[in-house]
Amino acid sequence: MLDDMGVLRDAVRDYRLAATSAGLDWPDYGESPAGQPPEVVYRIFGVERVAEQLTWLQSQRWPDRQVLPNVGWRMPWPEGGDALDYLGLAIGTPFPWRHQLPLFFFDVTLYTFVLAGEHEGEIWRYEISPDAWDSVRAATSLATLFDQWTRGIAAGVVVYDEQSKWLLVEDLGSAQGLDPLAFPVAPVEETLLRARQRECGVDMAIVEDGFPYTEELSDAIDAVKASLSR
């Protein structure tokens, strides 16, 4: 879903405050107005509009370092069709695979923002693995995701590592009331993963036999990239 803009602003601010209280160096640069995505973004992802929630987040000034849990970073606006390669594991999703923008990249997971349709505003996650088809919703919205990370810091699940100067996820299973899928940790416990996939509308038949669908998706990505280059 798309957050109320005030709710989203508060969630991102609260996360930054929690992260800095934990030890992360993240100066307050003040709020920047929501900008506009490059025109090519509409062509890459086949959409006619991009939600303000996403353009606002992409417009905010962040430090030139990883400020998200588990060495995560916010990806910039894509400049060409190669961005679609990130979606090569997006099989079985209850929305067109192309209608999502790669947003957060972590060590072993990719989080995307759904750009259109009934699932607009949701955050989906994909494990970076050649034989894992784990398309699943990580959070119902951006604000929900940042709220989970903030609560993770408060619970001692996300901790600041003095040596690396990163926020790391530790002992996720010990925290009550947190959604494990909101945190960039893989692999996910299978029972939880499959239950969430069914809940959020993933086509389980495709997930159970992922290889041919992965090949089909790869061909579809190549075809879109070829059309964009014309």
Side-chain angles (χ1 to χ4, degrees):
M1 66 180 183
L2 293 174
D3 299 300
D4 175 86
M5 286 302 303
V7 172
L8 177 57
R9 289 185 179 97
D10 288 348
V12 175
R13 179 203 61 202
D14 290 347
Y15 173 72
R16 187 190 66 80
L17 290 174
T20 56
S21 294
L24 194 70
D25 180 16
W26 187 348
D28 182 2
Y29 295 119
E31 182 178 341
S32 301
Q36 293 295 324
E39 285 296 323
V40 71
V41 168
Y42 300 98
R43 294 184 60 230
I44 293 171
F45 300 103
V47 294
E48 296 182 354
R49 59 177 291 275
V50 175
E52 181 186 6
Q53 286 77 1
L54 178 59
T55 62
W56 177 85
L57 184 74
Q58 292 291 71
S59 299
Q60 302 315 298
R61 292 181 59 202
W62 283 16
D64 187 21
R65 67 181 70 90
Q66 286 85 348
V67 297
L68 306 180
N70 273 10
V71 202
W73 54 286
R74 181 187 59 181
M75 303 174 71
W77 289 118
E79 298 179 351
D82 287 348
L84 296 173
D85 291 334
Y86 286 105
L87 304 179
L89 293 174
I91 65 169
T93 59
F95 50 84
W97 65 269
R98 188 178 172 188
H99 290 174
Q100 54 186 325
L101 180 140
L103 183 59
F104 299 138
F105 194 89
F106 304 88
D107 182 37
V108 293
T109 51
L110 170 74
Y111 283 27
T112 69
F113 182 97
V114 181
L115 294 165
E118 295 181 0
H119 296 267
E120 184 180 15
E122 291 182 356
I123 307 301
W124 279 61
R125 57 175 281 165
Y126 304 94
E127 181 180 346
I128 309 301
S129 171
D131 56 358
W133 304 287
D134 294 339
S135 304
V136 69
R137 188 183 65 216
T140 55
S141 73
L142 273 170
T144 302
L145 184 68
F146 277 100
D147 179 66
Q148 283 288 308
W149 291 344
T150 300
R151 293 171 59 192
I153 294 173
V157 168
V158 179
V159 300
Y160 179 69
D161 181 74
E162 291 283 354
Q163 183 174 0
S164 65
K165 302 188 183 306
W166 293 329
L167 289 171
L168 302 177
V169 181
E170 295 185 355
D171 197 18
L172 183 56
S174 67
Q176 299 296 320
L178 294 178
D179 180 0
L181 286 167
F183 296 84
V185 176
V188 177
E189 195 277 319
E190 186 171 7
T191 301
L192 171 65
L193 172 66
R194 301 309 179 204
R196 178 65 59 80
Q197 287 178 315
R198 294 185 180 92
E199 174 190 328
C200 61
V202 172
D203 188 328
M204 300 307 293
I206 289 179
V207 169
E208 290 170 6
D209 186 23
F211 278 113
Y213 295 99
T214 301
E215 293 177 356
E216 289 181 12
L217 178 54
S218 178
D219 291 342
I221 289 172
D222 288 343
V224 173
K225 289 171 61 178
S227 71
L228 292 173
S229 65
R230 295 182 191 133

